[in-house]
Structure formats: C-alpha cells, structure tokens
Amino acid sequence: EKIKESLSNKKELRIALFCAGSAPEIIGISKFLENNSYNFSSIEVHLYDQINQWSYARDNFIFSNGKKQALKQNHKMSFISHNIDLTNLNDLDKFNELHYYDVITFQNCLGEFSQSSKDDSSKNFLKVLGSLKPNSYAIFSERDIRGTEKNISRIHEFASEKNYETSHSFSYTYKSLEKIDIPKIL
C-alpha cells in the first residue's frame, strides 16, 4: 500500500528478493497485482539466495498447479534465480546491478549476517542497496534474533549517509505461542 502510487507510472517492474528461500513474497506480489490494475510491459522477479536448493519448495508450494505459468501469462512475470552469499566479499564484488530494481526485499535474514560471518564483513551486504533505482523501495521484514538490531542500525546509518529516507518503519513483536492456539494433536 505504501508504494502503490509510485508504481503507476512505471512501464517495467523489477523486483529483487534477497535471501529468497522458498520465496513466499511471490504470494504477496501476486495478490498485490491481482488487487491493483497496472499495465506493466514486463515484471522481473529476481531471486537471490546463497544456495540453489529452493526450487523444490518453490515448485511444490509457490508455483504448484500451473501458478508459475499463470503469472507469466497474466502478469508478464519472469523469474530469474541467482546464487549469492551476501557475506562473501567475492560474491558482492560480482554483484553490479546498480540502479536496476524498483523494489528489493529482505525477509528474515539480517540477523544471520552477524551470526554467520565476521562482524566487519557483514556490513558489506549493504552494497545491494545501490541496486535500487532512485525513488524506489527496500523492504525489510525481520525476526528479533541476535544481530538483527545491529544490522537494522547499519541500514539506518547507511541510508542517512546516502540520502535515503525511511518512508515507513515500525516495530512489532509477535509472540506466536501466546497468540495462536496450537492444536492438541501437535
């Protein structure tokens, strides 16, 4: 909803899902496109992840029953997979998509950078923010695990240095064990 108006004058839409995994964001993207009428000539969805074993999960859950073909046909969507380790400086040196994307997302991955790599190199994943076109959006949706808060702070610091602005920010802690009744069989 926050970015709906900014997309109305675009001919092509380019989206990057970083740390994509099974890519559940595709469900949200497709629902968004179904509920809003845009006439994009093409929509590219780039899936970036450290490993390439997610195709089974995507094919059986996200793209099952002909959904991938329907998205291609109805919304002119194409899906491009990339292997990249955002904590590996060699991979980041090869990443050169400067000002290419209209929207990029990070879902449940920022805390992993501090846990999985040296602290000094983990901040280098911010290089991917340069892949945004001017007046575009980066969306971060995160778990509250060790390292997340530090990397969110790095994003804010990087954004202020690069003249980016935060259009919407909120913090909400969802405690699933308190909010959901777990079926007794489980």
Side-chain angles (χ1 to χ4, degrees), residues 45-64:
V45 179
H46 292 257
L47 308 163
Y48 289 91
D49 211 315
Q50 185 174 353
I51 58 173
N52 63 1
Q53 279 84 18
W54 287 105
S55 60
Y56 178 81
R58 290 178 194 149
D59 289 345
N60 287 291
F61 299 103
I62 304 298
F63 296 135
S64 64

Side-chain angles (χ1 to χ4, degrees), residues 129-165:
L129 290 178
S131 68
L132 282 170
K133 292 178 183 176
N135 300 313
S136 295
Y137 295 88
I139 300 169
F140 299 90
S141 173
E142 291 300 322
R143 299 167 292 188
D144 185 15
I145 61 173
R146 191 185 65 168
T148 300
E149 189 174 325
K150 182 191 311 183
N151 284 316
I152 291 290
S153 295
R154 286 179 175 156
I155 291 165
H156 284 289
E157 182 181 316
F158 180 86
S160 66
E161 291 172 4
K162 300 290 185 184
N163 229 5
Y164 292 3
E165 68 179 61

Side-chain angles (χ1 to χ4, degrees), residues 47-87:
L47 308 163
Y48 289 91
D49 211 315
Q50 185 174 353
I51 58 173
N52 63 1
Q53 279 84 18
W54 287 105
S55 60
Y56 178 81
R58 290 178 194 149
D59 289 345
N60 287 291
F61 299 103
I62 304 298
F63 296 135
S64 64
N65 300 321
K67 289 180 193 143
K68 187 174 190 177
Q69 190 59 34
L71 290 169
K72 287 179 179 180
Q73 187 175 358
N74 298 337
H75 298 293
K76 302 173 195 133
M77 291 178 90
S78 61
F79 301 93
I80 302 103
S81 295
H82 307 271
N83 286 14
I84 186 171
D85 178 354
L86 296 176
T87 62

Side-chain angles (χ1 to χ4, degrees), residues 71-106:
L71 290 169
K72 287 179 179 180
Q73 187 175 358
N74 298 337
H75 298 293
K76 302 173 195 133
M77 291 178 90
S78 61
F79 301 93
I80 302 103
S81 295
H82 307 271
N83 286 14
I84 186 171
D85 178 354
L86 296 176
T87 62
N88 182 319
L89 295 178
N90 291 328
D91 279 4
L92 286 173
D93 285 343
K94 294 177 209 167
F95 181 80
N96 59 359
E97 300 297 341
L98 191 61
H99 304 302
Y100 189 77
Y101 295 112
D102 300 295
V103 177
I104 63 174
T105 70
F106 291 87

Side-chain angles (χ1 to χ4, degrees), residues 1-10 32 36-38 40 135 137:
E1 290 302 309
K2 294 284 182 189
I3 65 174
K4 188 178 353 185
E5 280 185 35
S6 70
L7 298 178
S8 61
N9 59 0
K10 296 193 181 290
F32 178 82
N36 299 280
S37 57
Y38 294 102
F40 297 117
N135 300 313
Y137 295 88

